[in-house]
């Protein structure tokens, strides 16, 4: 499935069950592990479980098999790995603590990291 179609599918599933503060982060220029990260909040561990269950059901119906799911039962953070996209479903407190949006925004891109490394070695 094309990444844009997967993104639409995931966002629709999360919005249907009232996920809060949904953010999409393009990390394709920062890592080869995945292209997009979606971060969304739930109101309780039950809400997070319902969100992850709905998300998994929705993508499976469209032929996308999750590569992994972590933290489903009673957790304050559920991760759903869809390959080209990783979805983080979090309680607001956990989301504020880890602040993934800022963490990924502050990382240098591969090109920036290479330039910084070259400057550091050139200055030695």
């Amino acid at each position: 499935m094309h990444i844009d179609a997967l993104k639409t599918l995931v966002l629709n599933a999360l919005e249907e069950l009232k996920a809060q503060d949904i953010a999409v982060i393009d990390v394709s220029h920062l890592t080869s592990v995945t292209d997009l990260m979606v971060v969304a909040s739930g109101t309780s561990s039950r809400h997070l479980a319902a969100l992850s269950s709905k998300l998994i059901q929705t993508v499976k119906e469209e032929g996308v098999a999750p590569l992994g799911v972590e933290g489903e039962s009673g957790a304050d953070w559920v991760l759903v790995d869809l390959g080209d996209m990783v979805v983080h479903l979090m309680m607001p407190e956990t989301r504020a603590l880890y602040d993934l949006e800022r963490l990924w925004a502050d990382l240098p891109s591969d090109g920036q990291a290479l330039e910084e490394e070259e400057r550091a070695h050139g200055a030695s």
Side-chain angles (χ1 to χ4, degrees), residues 28-71:
S28 60
H29 61 287
L30 299 171
T31 180
S32 60
V33 174
T34 192
D35 290 335
L36 292 177
M37 285 195 187
V38 174
V39 183
S41 297
T43 57
S44 67
S45 58
R46 282 185 129 174
H47 188 209
L48 292 180
L51 288 168
S52 66
S53 179
K54 173 68 174 174
L55 176 60
I56 292 164
Q57 174 189 355
T58 300
V59 297
K60 281 183 176 179
E61 288 172 357
E62 294 298 321
V64 177
L67 300 178
V69 180
E70 298 292 331

Side-chain angles (χ1 to χ4, degrees), residues 64-80:
V64 177
L67 300 178
V69 180
E70 298 292 331
E72 279 184 289
S73 57
D76 57 353
W77 185 349
V78 180
L79 182 143
V80 181

Side-chain angles (χ1 to χ4, degrees), residues 3 5-6 18 20-21 24 32 39 42 46-47 51 57-58 61 68 70 84 89 96-99 107 110 112 117 123:
I3 190 70
L6 181 60
K18 310 294 186 217
Q20 299 177 343
D21 303 319
V24 179
S32 60
V39 183
R46 282 185 129 174
H47 188 209
L51 288 168
Q57 174 189 355
T58 300
E61 288 172 357
E70 298 292 331
D84 291 337
L89 305 169
L97 177 66
Y98 289 97
D99 200 4
L107 288 176
D110 290 340
Q112 289 173 319
E117 186 176 321

Side-chain angles (χ1 to χ4, degrees), residues 1-17:
M1 174 176 285
H2 189 271
I3 190 70
D4 290 331
L6 181 60
K7 179 174 120 178
T8 300
L9 188 67
V10 166
L11 294 178
N12 288 342
L14 295 177
E15 288 170 354
E16 186 176 324
L17 285 185

